[in-house]
Amino acid sequence: QVQLVESGGGLVQAGGSLRLSCTASGRILSINSMAWYRQGPGKQRELVAAIASGENTNYADSVKGRFAISRDNAKNTVYLQMNNLKPEDTAVYYCTIKAIKLLSRYEADYWGQGTQVTVSS
């Protein structure tokens, strides 16, 4: 199976920074895109940032200029650097990858368990 483990969440004051990490492990042949989503209280899950295998990135308008996504292919890890955090960034943050498992021809989506980010005003 494929497992994703997130870390780096926590409580921070508005204007502060956090760095989330997500490492994939298991019988992985290749990872294509990697992304972060978030789900705030009473809200739907939304895309925060994504990075393709060629390292093209895209961001939600609400985080452009404040967040940066990056990946380390050797470590099967994706990062989300979050700066100038705002109370409205409070949410559970989930990482997800599109990957092909060993002995499989098909790409599938895999999700982490989520990490809580709370920004106090």
Side-chain angles (χ1 to χ4, degrees), residues 68-119:
I69 190 170
S70 60
R71 61 190 286 172
D72 184 335
N73 293 326
K75 296 180 180 180
N76 286 347
T77 298
V78 60
Y79 304 97
L80 185 67
Q81 178 66 44
M82 305 186 293
N83 299 324
N84 190 21
L85 282 159
K86 303 177 180 180
E88 51 263 43
D89 294 318
T90 294
V92 178
Y93 284 70
Y94 300 89
C95 73
T96 181
I97 64 172
K98 292 185 182 293
I100 301 173
K101 292 197 316 184
L102 289 170
L103 304 180
S104 172
R105 294 178 294 172
Y106 304 107
E107 181 182 86
D109 293 337
Y110 300 94
W111 289 82
Q113 296 282 67
T115 185
Q116 176 71 46
V117 171
T118 302
V119 184

Side-chain angles (χ1 to χ4, degrees), residues 25-67:
S25 62
R27 298 173 60 79
I28 299 170
L29 176 63
S30 65
I31 298 176
N32 297 323
S33 63
M34 309 178 86
W36 289 94
Y37 281 72
R38 68 185 180 187
Q39 188 166 15
K43 298 180 180 179
Q44 290 188 328
R45 192 172 296 190
E46 63 174 354
L47 175 68
V48 177
I51 183 166
S53 57
E55 306 210 6
N56 289 332
T57 58
N58 66 286
Y59 296 91
D61 287 343
S62 59
V63 306
K64 283 181 181 176
R66 300 188 297 122
F67 290 11

